[in-house]
Amino acid sequence: MQGLMMNYPLTLDRILAHANRMYPHKRISTKMPDGSIHRYTYADLYKRVQRLANVLKNLGVKEGDRVGTFAWNTYQHVEMYFGIPALGAVCHTLNIRLFPEQLAYVVNHAEDKVVFIDATLLPLYERVADKIKTVEHYVLINAPKGIETKLPNVLHYEDLMAEASDEFEWLTLDENAAMGMCYTSGTTGNPKGALYSHRSMFLHTIGENQANALGLTESDRVLMVVPQFHAMAWGLPYACAFSGAEMFMPGPHLKPEPLAEIIASEKITVAAGVPTIWLGLYHELRKNPRDISSVRAMIVGGSAMPRSLIEEYEKNLHVSVLHAWGMTETSPLGTVSKLHAHHQDLTDAEKWDIKAKQGYAVPLVEIRIVNDEGEELPWDGTTMGEVQVRGPWVIRDYYKLEGASEQFTADGWFRTGDVATISEDGFMQITDRTKDLIKSGGEWISSVELENTLMAHPAVKEAAVIAIPDEKWAERPLAAVVLTDDADGVTAEALREFLAPKVAKFWLPDKIVFIDDIPKTSVGKFDKKVLRRRYADGELG
Ligand code: AMP
């Protein structure tokens, strides 16, 4: 039909071209393994991505091939985010914290052809070297000359880049071609692969940059603590490039002290990471105060941000927390919890209640909650159901995995495995994972709510609640608690008294045990599977 818009494929090269054209002088900075800061611009990135695309072409990488990355957050890793898809190949970010068997499984399952490895991570990768079947070349990043390794066919990133041309003949790709791939962190069974397309990531980038979502602008300086292997660093490298925001990559420097330094000295405006990171940073800032007032949004997701920590940041450090929810399978952005106009007259305490929720669906993501029969439940703020989502950046099936279909409904929704309520005004609040809910005498107990309530006690640093078997009630809650360094003489009884006026009586944990650390998964979530095993082994009393 005449008069229609042009056919403009939504491919990622256009995001990079836009950054190069509009924001050539904006910087991408990296704290390198040796502590020095490497800086260059979007114009430099543009040139280097073309070199990288030529490097890959010279190595025989073809459209559709998977190329693995085993790396910290660095400018080279950003080059891979654009350079691998530029060839129509798939940037497969490998989780550096997987157990060796899982890592080998993931590389072999994806059939990676080339893998890029940060030299500092080489020993971790070498543990699986003899199990890998398809990798033809390994490319080391930041490796000293003459480094010894038992990996076969090893090349050096900068050598290859120096030899390649910095002019690449950009391809016209199908917007539905795959561009990236992440495996789930797999707390049960093998990790499962989610494959992102140019179109899905492009739309995700636009979605993420809306003012009602994360709303990055060219005045932002974004610190990406979330690893690039965790759901493509939540899409932030693309969102930064498209909006002209500056990126700061912390490399391996993920401890609270260097992060506090970076935020203060670089005048970071937006920082993104999981709650554990911000918990550590908060304690560091209490010990060694620094000026972090440049931060306009501390984006937090991956697990529930305790309400008490939101309050502490906002009240004591004047930093605004932006709670978001998503999954590897949803690219990841699903919901964000920004206050709406009708919240403005609420008290601070009421506002923190809202910010502790996971929030409303960003445009193009649809959410619903359903009961066990799959019937949709009301948005009344109290009815709990399983969260299902759909949208252009939500997975349709898993990569090369037969039989995972129970996670997809017949009418095209993805079953998240999260349980939540949704309020009348559309704010979702996650109460649990289906497998973590505690069923006591036929009634549900939310482990997340118990944890949040416990973590509001000033002596509690972290708390994880699991179900333990019980003859009478089928299951009862057990709370594993980590106390703060300055907590003195706090007893289980005192914590139970603290909880008593705040939760239903039958929710009160039968056992409260004190431990040194909550075990964490490869992406920093409470690993309740390990806690349950410890309990079964008699280690938790
Ligand atoms: P992953 O794919 O590793 O990011 O894990 C996704 C899961 O993390 C979700 O299904 C949730 O269970 C959990 N999650 C992510 N963000 C949040 C959040 N803001 N609050 C609570 N749980 C979250």
Side-chain angles (χ1 to χ4, degrees):
M1 195 181 294
Q2 276 196 316
L4 273 176
M5 302 298 121
M6 57 177 69
N7 184 7
Y8 186 93
L10 305 180
T11 50
L12 295 181
D13 51 316
R14 298 180 195 263
I15 293 183
L16 184 62
H18 182 72
N20 178 52
R21 175 49 75 96
M22 303 304 299
Y23 312 110
H25 305 301
K26 290 294 182 126
R27 291 174 313 176
I28 297 158
S29 308
T30 305
K31 193 164 169 106
M32 304 298 289
D34 67 3
S36 63
I37 309 272
H38 174 280
R39 293 190 202 276
Y40 73 8
T41 64
Y42 279 116
D44 298 322
L45 173 68
Y46 188 64
K47 285 278 177 207
R48 298 254 308 173
V49 164
Q50 297 190 75
R51 275 188 199 278
L52 176 57
N54 285 321
V55 164
L56 291 164
K57 202 164 137 194
N58 298 342
L59 290 177
V61 173
K62 303 248 167 1
E63 275 186 41
D65 283 346
R66 272 77 58 210
V67 175
T69 64
F70 195 70
W72 301 111
N73 290 13
T74 61
Y75 68 96
Q76 293 108 328
H77 211 168
V78 177
E79 289 163 6
M80 289 162 207
Y81 266 44
F82 287 100
I84 298 169
L87 265 190
V90 181
C91 177
H92 173 204
T93 56
L94 296 162
N95 182 335
I96 62 173
R97 303 207 176 90
L98 285 182
F99 291 116
E101 312 78 63
Q102 286 187 324
L103 176 62
Y105 169 84
V106 165
V107 177
N108 288 332
H109 188 261
E111 299 173 86
D112 290 335
K113 191 163 177 181
V114 176
V115 176
F116 291 86
I117 303 178
D118 249 317
T120 50
L121 297 170
L122 194 51
L124 276 185
Y125 191 92
E126 280 177 328
R127 295 187 298 176
V128 302
D130 51 1
K131 300 199 180 62
I132 302 299
K133 300 189 181 120
T134 57
V135 176
E136 292 169 13
H137 300 282
Y138 287 106
V139 182
L140 299 187
I141 311 160
N142 297 327
K145 287 270 170 266
I147 190 172
E148 296 213 351
T149 169
K150 60 180 198 190
L151 293 184
N153 307 328
V154 169
L155 301 161
H156 286 260
Y157 190 68
E158 288 310 328
D159 291 352
L160 296 174
M161 293 288 270
E163 285 160 15
S165 157
D166 66 0
E167 280 183 26
F168 175 68
E169 241 173 83
W170 294 94
L171 309 174
T172 307
L173 297 166
D174 178 352
E175 65 175 20
N176 287 307
M179 58 64 54
M181 175 180 218
C182 281
Y183 279 70
T184 57
S185 44
T187 46
T188 45
N190 275 326
K192 291 181 285 208
L195 204 53
Y196 312 119
S197 67
H198 280 263
R199 175 187 153 84
S200 73
M201 195 51 82
F202 202 111
L203 292 173
H204 182 266
T205 306
I206 298 174
E208 192 155 272
N209 270 342
Q210 292 183 88
N212 275 345
L214 305 188
L216 301 184
T217 75
E218 68 80 49
S219 336
D220 280 316
R221 287 177 297 281
V222 180
L223 172 64
M224 269 173 249
V225 188
V226 51
Q228 285 189 254
F229 58 74
H230 189 192
M232 306 298 290
W234 301 347
L236 289 167
Y238 301 117
C240 285
F242 220 18
S243 60
E246 297 203 321
M247 301 187 212
F248 195 100
M249 297 305 207
H253 306 280
L254 302 173
K255 295 252 156 53
E257 203 190 331
L259 291 179
E261 283 297 339
I262 293 170
I263 294 175
S265 61
E266 299 286 325
K267 304 245 175 308
I268 295 297
T269 62
V270 172
V274 295
T276 328
I277 295 283
W278 303 136
L279 177 70
L281 181 75
Y282 184 74
H283 287 282
E284 163 66 23
L285 290 170
R286 275 207 340 187
K287 266 192 280 161
N288 300 309
R290 290 183 193 72
D291 179 10
I292 65 157
S293 57
S294 56
V295 177
R296 69 165 183 85
M298 179 165 276
I299 301 169
V300 54
S303 356
M305 177 73 162
R307 182 199 174 285
S308 51
L309 196 53
I310 297 178
E311 176 175 344
E312 278 160 349
Y313 266 105
E314 301 216 339
K315 193 164 74 183
N316 303 336
L317 299 176
H318 312 291
V319 164
S320 175
V321 174
L322 179 52
H323 198 185
W325 168 92
M327 306 178 73
T328 302
E329 291 92 331
T330 65
S331 293
L333 189 60
T335 68
V336 294
S337 201
K338 272 192 177 168
L339 297 181
H340 279 170
H342 67 268
H343 296 129
Q344 292 312 327
D345 294 334
L346 296 178
T347 62
D348 283 348
E350 288 165 334
K351 286 182 184 167
W352 294 321
D353 288 342
I354 310 264
K355 290 187 151 203
K357 295 184 179 193
Q358 282 66 18
Y360 52 87
V362 300
L364 291 181
V365 173
E366 294 179 54
I367 54 172
R368 67 180 187 188
I369 45 174
V370 301
N371 63 14
D372 287 346
E373 283 70 50
E375 293 155 352
E376 194 167 349
L377 295 168
W379 291 18
D380 58 11
T382 52
T383 309
M384 278 192 239
E386 189 192 7
V387 181
Q388 301 188 343
V389 287
R390 68 176 181 189
W393 55 79
V394 175
I395 190 176
R396 168 179 78 197
D397 48 19
Y398 287 104
Y399 180 65
K400 276 191 355 195
L401 204 69
E402 306 301 326
S405 55
E406 76 276 5
Q407 281 196 254
F408 304 89
T409 69
D411 57 346
W413 292 70
F414 172 64
R415 302 180 56 190
T416 65
D418 285 334
V419 178
T421 60
I422 303 179
S423 62
E424 272 171 36
D425 55 357
F427 279 67
M428 174 178 86
Q429 180 156 29
I430 303 272
T431 50
D432 240 316
R433 297 282 299 159
T434 32
K435 59 183 191 313
D436 293 337
L437 265 174
I438 300 151
K439 200 164 190 191
S440 171
E443 298 284 341
W444 296 114
I445 298 176
S446 157
S447 67
V448 173
E449 200 171 325
L450 272 178
E451 288 159 4
N452 256 324
T453 315
L454 273 168
M455 285 191 268
H457 190 288
V460 175
K461 190 170 172 197
E462 287 187 299
V465 174
I466 55 167
I468 54 172
D470 184 271
E471 266 184 30
K472 183 163 174 206
W473 303 106
E475 287 180 352
R476 291 294 302 150
L478 172 146
V481 171
V482 180
L483 294 175
T484 55
D485 297 340
D486 46 10
D488 233 355
V490 175
T491 61
E493 208 32 57
L495 290 182
R496 215 172 277 116
E497 274 168 27
F498 173 80
L499 284 177
K502 300 183 174 70
V503 300
K505 193 154 174 252
F506 78 98
W507 280 36
L508 286 179
D510 292 18
K511 287 185 200 266
I512 298 185
V513 295
F514 296 102
I515 56 178
D516 292 338
D517 251 326
I518 309 276
K520 308 264 168 37
T521 69
S522 59
V523 286
K525 302 172 198 241
F526 291 165
D527 198 338
K528 298 196 180 179
K529 189 176 50 130
V530 172
L531 277 179
R532 284 192 276 265
R533 197 168 56 226
R534 279 200 202 157
Y535 178 79
D537 293 347
E539 286 173 33
L540 294 182

